C-alpha cells in the first residue's frame, strides 16, 4: 500500500487545496472539479487504498468520516440533504487510490445511477 498519495500531499499542505475541516483522523477539502454546488472530499489522514482494503484498524477513522460529513453539511447549509459516495477500484470509478468520501449537495443530486 503506498504511504504517499495525491491526498497525503494535500493533507500535509504540499499541494494547495481549500481545506474545510481537519482533525486527528480525517481531512476534508473541496473537490477541484465540483459536480455539485457543494462537493467536498473527506479523507482519512492515513492511507487506505480503497474500500476493499479496510481493516478493523481503520474503524475509528472510517467512523469519523461520517461525523465530519455531518458537521461539514451543517456548516454548508445542506439541511435539505446531500449524497455521500465512496467509489471503489476500477468498476467503482475510483481515480485516486486513497479512500475518500464525496459529500455532494446544494441542489437535488438526481438519480443514484443512470446505466450507460
Ligand atoms: P474518485 O474518482 O477517486 O472517487 O474521486 C477523486 C476526486 O478527486 C475527483 O472528484 C477529482 O475531481 C478530485 N481531485 C483530483 N485531483 C485533485 C486535486 O489535486 N485537488 C482536489 N481538491 N481534488 C482533486
Amino acid at each position: 500500500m503506498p504511504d504517499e498519495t495525491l491526498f497525503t500531499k494535500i493533507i500535509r499542505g504540499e499541494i494547495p487545496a481549500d481545506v474545510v475541516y481537519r482533525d486527528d483522523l480525517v481531512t476534508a477539502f473541496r473537490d477541484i472539479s465540483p459536480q455539485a454546488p457543494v462537493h467536498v472530499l473527506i479523507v482519512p489522514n492515513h492511507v487506505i487504498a480503497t474500500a476493499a482494503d479496510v481493516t478493523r484498524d481503520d474503524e475509528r477513522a472510517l467512523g469519523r468520516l461520517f461525523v465530519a460529513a455531518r458537521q461539514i453539511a451543517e456548516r454548508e447549509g445542506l439541511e435539505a440533504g446531500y449524497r455521500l459516495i465512496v467509489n471503489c477500484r476500477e468498476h467503482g470509478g475510483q481515480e485516486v487510490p486513497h479512500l475518500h468520501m464525496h459529500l455532494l449537495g446544494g441542489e437535488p443530486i438526481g438519480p443514484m445511477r443512470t446505466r450507460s
Side-chain angles (χ1 to χ4, degrees), residues 26 28 99 116:
V26 306
L99 186 152
S116 54

Side-chain angles (χ1 to χ4, degrees), residues 19-98:
V19 174
V20 297
Y21 179 94
R22 192 194 296 276
D23 68 23
D24 57 323
L25 292 176
V26 306
T27 301
F29 46 89
R30 294 191 196 280
D31 196 292
I32 202 167
S33 178
Q35 303 300 307
V38 175
H39 187 174
V40 171
L41 303 174
I42 314 168
V43 184
N45 290 339
H46 74 286
V47 178
I48 307 166
T50 80
D53 299 292
V54 301
T55 71
R56 286 186 180 273
D57 290 342
D58 302 317
E59 284 178 355
R60 283 186 68 235
L62 295 174
R64 188 68 62 80
L65 292 180
F66 280 91
V67 177
R70 195 212 83 213
Q71 292 182 0
I72 296 162
E74 286 174 5
R75 277 192 220 152
E76 297 284 333
L78 303 183
E79 290 83 7
Y82 47 89
R83 182 167 295 158
L84 301 174
I85 300 172
V86 177
N87 296 323
C88 179
R89 295 187 174 168
E90 184 184 354
H91 282 193
Q94 183 178 3
E95 292 170 9
V96 179
H98 184 154

